[in-house]
Amino acid sequence: MPPDGRVPLARALSKLGITSRSRAAARIRAGLVSVNGKVVLDPAHQVVPERVRLTIEGAAVRRAPWRMILLNKTRGTVTTRHDPEGRPTVFDALGDQARGLVAVGRLDLATTGLLLLTTDTQLANRLTDPRSAVVRRYVVSVRGEVTDADAARMMDGLDGLHADSVRVRKRSRRESHLIVELREGRNREIRRLCAAVGHEVTALKRVAFGGLELGGLAPGAWRIVTREEVRQAFG
């Protein structure tokens, strides 16, 4: 993701909650979308959504006011606006509140816990940029006993992946519970790290993102995050 917040035009329309990316691309190719008063036919045309005037068939695309929501994502929901397999999405869970929101990163289908969504696409890009090194904290349950040597290997790095911190809260021959911190959040990173040291993840829950914590928020519930909280949590 470019540091100045540029994204393909089709993605920008999808991020703004106007339509799916594929439908946006079709409208663009049909000559129905203008950027700053000029028709654009290329869905890959780069724009900064907050800095351009977008219209579809002559109607201005209205941006939602600044908002951020902290959702306790439930197992079995996907972090996409439209799912081709028809699975429930986090946007379905938010209903009308989802308009204009984009997810700040993703949690996979089986992962639960803290997910941020915002109307501020530049902020979302900054928080997920690896250079920002925002800490994500997870509670992890795995099969089998995780040794101190296993934890050290996960922090040292395996197959190009590594955890910034691994703390074993509880262990037995049957199951171990861990607190794991990451600063990049690559695809299925914790599951892959645990598998690399011989342990299958049975439960994975994100409990903190930067200075924001899940706390006692019930599964499926959400709350508004204020600008002041964002400033304190991320600087």
Side-chain angles (χ1 to χ4, degrees), residues 204-227:
L204 179 58
K205 180 179 183 180
R206 185 157 68 190
V207 295
F209 192 106
L212 293 174
E213 298 188 354
L214 186 64
L217 196 65
W222 58 270
R223 70 172 183 84
I224 295 292
V225 177
T226 67
R227 286 184 183 268

Side-chain angles (χ1 to χ4, degrees), residues 15 66-73 79-81 90-91 94 97-98 100-107 112-121 123-128 134-136 138 206-214 217 221-226 229-231 233-234:
K15 278 179 167 288
W66 191 96
R67 283 187 303 145
M68 177 175 276
I69 281 176
L70 189 159
L71 170 71
N72 187 350
K73 177 188 172 297
T79 315
T80 55
R81 186 169 292 278
V90 295
F91 297 94
L94 291 169
Q97 292 294 327
L101 293 175
V102 296
V104 181
R106 293 190 178 189
L107 295 178
T112 65
L114 192 158
L115 179 69
L116 298 176
L117 303 102
T118 182
T119 56
D120 189 336
T121 57
L123 175 61
N125 292 340
R126 177 169 69 86
L127 295 182
T128 53
V134 176
V135 174
R136 290 91 155 156
Y138 300 80
R206 185 157 68 190
V207 295
F209 192 106
L212 293 174
E213 298 188 354
L214 186 64
L217 196 65
W222 58 270
R223 70 172 183 84
I224 295 292
V225 177
T226 67
E229 285 184 281
V230 172
R231 281 191 288 267
F234 304 108

Side-chain angles (χ1 to χ4, degrees), residues 80 92 96 181 235:
T80 55
D92 295 333
D96 292 341
E181 291 187 351

